[in-house]
Amino acid sequence: MSRAQTLVLALLVLHVMLGVLCLVIAKGEHKSPALRWWGWGLVVYAAGLFVTILGNWLPRHFTLTLGNSLITLAAVLCATGVLSHTRYDLPRLPVDAAMLAIVALLAYANFADWHAALVNLVAPTAMGVAVFVVAGWKIWREGPQDAHAASWFVAVCMSAAVATWILRLPIMGYEGGGRVDPQKVDFTISLFSIIQMINGVAATLALMWVDVRLMQADLSRVAHTDFLTGLPNRRSVMLRFREEIARAERAGGGFALAVLDIDRFKQINDRHGHNAGDAVLKQVARALDETKRAHDVLGRIGGEEFVLILPDQGREGALDAAERFRTAVARQAVVVAGGVTVRATISGGVAFYPGDGRDWDHVFAIADRRLYEAKRGGRDRIEAHA
């Protein structure tokens, strides 16, 4: 077995292993369309290489046609995997038409012995370059926001593959009727096999990197986000509270903390059901979120209770802001099952850093106490005074 044949066999085995690994990962708890498509692309590519190798024992016109058709399909599958991380899909009709045209061209060239070597080299390369350029460009421009660096690395790997294929065309160009140096061909095939192994490993790891970053982002959102409303949860708000303390100490200023609670929320649940209660929670969260300033921090800290961090607000400014939130909620209505309209109001208490305390426990406790003073005072009101 020559050096080139050994390296092509190694390339085949490597792609099978990488492809199977991607397929196994894609079927795990974290479903990954990208790795599933990419894995099938690698396996199909390896199958194409295997079929072309069989040309040493089976009719070459058949094995070259089928093998290069599979290699062409593999590029489409891999590009589809990369594009699953973007909003773009390969256009089905043009791609199918191009695939059929390439298969027909390969069959004619190999069975009619019409420039077979050139067609077998150029036809799969043309499709691979086209779909990889599109996939690389799209992942570069539209890759997941939570995986910027990984997306860019995928794009670099796609570009490297395209450059390799384009460079291979003139080097492995075939002059009809010319004498071919076997040693030169062996060296060239060996070189490009090694390059493709490197590209294959790098691109596969890059796609896995994208998935890892997305999983990390999902875990972070779960840890810091309230599932029902999509707002920051108690843990996230407390972290932001500490950040705001550090900022206030540097600037020598202060800020306000408002605790807001939906009035008679248990009655809403009892009278209209928990689905109606969830709808009211989401509507209140939406009203508060639309009313707050860009740098205010809004979170749901449990049950029907929300909290707002209001930077650079004194007592009067914080009270005015809290009144705007109360009014915004009172204006909203939710239509629940049966066409019943449900209106909710909120009561709130406001405390201040550093006047009412210098840590979360003290500031929150005072805001919570003022909230219950507002409840005792008739509800649908804000209390900001001791």
Side-chain angles (χ1 to χ4, degrees):
M1 184 179 290
S2 68
R3 175 179 55 187
Q5 290 173 324
T6 301
L7 286 170
V8 169
L9 183 60
L11 179 64
L12 185 158
V13 172
L14 177 65
H15 278 68
V16 170
M17 294 173 62
L18 290 174
V20 171
L21 177 62
C22 290
L23 292 173
V24 170
I25 294 174
K27 288 187 68 177
E29 185 175 340
H30 178 77
K31 305 297 182 183
S32 174
L35 289 180
R36 185 177 69 250
W37 284 107
W38 184 266
W40 278 117
L42 296 180
V43 171
V44 170
Y45 178 78
L49 286 180
F50 179 71
V51 171
T52 57
I53 291 173
L54 291 179
N56 294 322
W57 300 278
L58 298 177
R60 290 184 62 81
H61 54 270
F62 171 76
T63 57
L64 287 174
T65 300
L66 178 59
N68 284 296
S69 297
L70 290 172
I71 290 172
T72 305
L73 175 62
V76 176
L77 295 175
C78 288
T80 301
V82 172
L83 289 171
S84 67
H85 282 307
T86 73
R87 294 171 294 178
Y88 182 83
D89 293 320
L90 289 175
R92 183 72 179 272
L93 187 59
V95 171
D96 288 348
M99 276 296 307
L100 289 174
I102 288 174
V103 171
L105 179 60
L106 288 168
Y108 178 77
N110 286 301
F111 281 87
D113 197 22
W114 179 76
H115 302 294
L118 183 61
V119 172
N120 286 321
L121 177 65
V122 173
T125 300
M127 176 63 89
V129 166
V131 296
F132 268 47
V133 165
V134 172
W137 174 252
K138 289 295 183 180
I139 193 72
W140 177 275
R141 296 298 301 272
E142 302 175 12
Q145 292 296 318
D146 294 319
H148 270 307
S151 297
W152 293 346
F153 190 58
V154 172
V156 170
C157 292
M158 303 295 277
S159 301
V162 168
T164 300
W165 294 336
I166 292 176
L167 181 63
R168 185 180 60 177
L169 287 177
I171 293 178
M172 296 188 66
Y174 186 88
E175 294 185 7
R179 182 178 179 86
V180 178
D181 183 350
Q183 291 186 345
K184 184 177 180 180
V185 171
D186 183 85
F187 173 79
T188 302
I189 294 175
S190 300
L191 176 62
F192 282 103
S193 295
I194 293 172
I195 294 174
Q196 285 183 270
M197 282 190 274
I198 295 172
N199 284 346
V201 172
T204 302
L205 292 177
L207 272 179
M208 290 181 180
W209 183 14
V210 172
D211 268 46
V212 167
R213 292 294 301 127
L214 293 179
M215 285 190 289
Q216 290 174 334
D218 286 343
L219 290 174
S220 178
R221 277 189 285 271
V222 169
H224 294 90
T225 304
D226 173 60
F227 178 76
L228 180 65
T229 63
L231 296 176
N233 60 16
R234 185 186 190 95
R235 178 183 183 183
S236 181
V237 170
M238 291 178 69
L239 290 173
R240 293 294 302 273
F241 183 88
R242 295 190 190 104
E243 292 173 3
E244 194 60 34
I245 285 179
R247 192 195 67 80
E249 289 181 347
R250 288 195 302 270
F255 60 93
L257 179 77
V259 180
L260 309 173
D261 187 89
I262 301 176
D263 297 325
R264 298 184 174 90
F265 185 71
K266 185 177 184 301
Q267 293 181 16
I268 295 174
N269 276 330
D270 292 343
R271 185 177 302 171
H272 304 288
H274 288 281
N275 286 339
D278 288 348
V280 169
L281 281 169
K282 288 189 281 189
Q283 181 61 42
V284 170
R286 188 178 303 113
L288 295 174
D289 190 51
E290 291 173 352
T291 306
K292 76 179 184 66
R293 301 173 299 174
H295 57 286
D296 292 339
V297 179
L298 168 65
R300 180 188 175 204
I301 58 174
E304 64 272 27
E305 201 166 50
F306 298 84
V307 67
L308 277 150
I309 298 173
L310 306 170
D312 303 317
Q313 288 284 21
R315 192 172 300 275
E316 294 304 320
L319 182 58
D320 289 343
E323 284 291 342
R324 287 197 303 273
F325 292 121
R326 185 193 63 78
T327 303
V329 171
R331 285 199 301 259
Q332 302 293 320
V334 180
V335 179
V336 299
V340 178
T341 299
V342 178
R343 293 186 178 276
T345 61
I346 60 172
S347 299
V350 183
F352 305 91
Y353 175 90
D356 290 321
R358 304 191 69 88
D359 59 31
W360 167 268
D361 290 338
H362 287 88
V363 177
F364 179 83
I366 290 178
D368 198 48
R369 188 183 71 199
R370 290 171 181 168
L371 162 66
Y372 283 98
E373 290 174 1
K375 294 276 190 181
R376 288 193 294 269
R379 295 185 175 86
D380 191 21
R381 61 194 297 270
I382 302 297
E383 179 62 58
H385 300 284

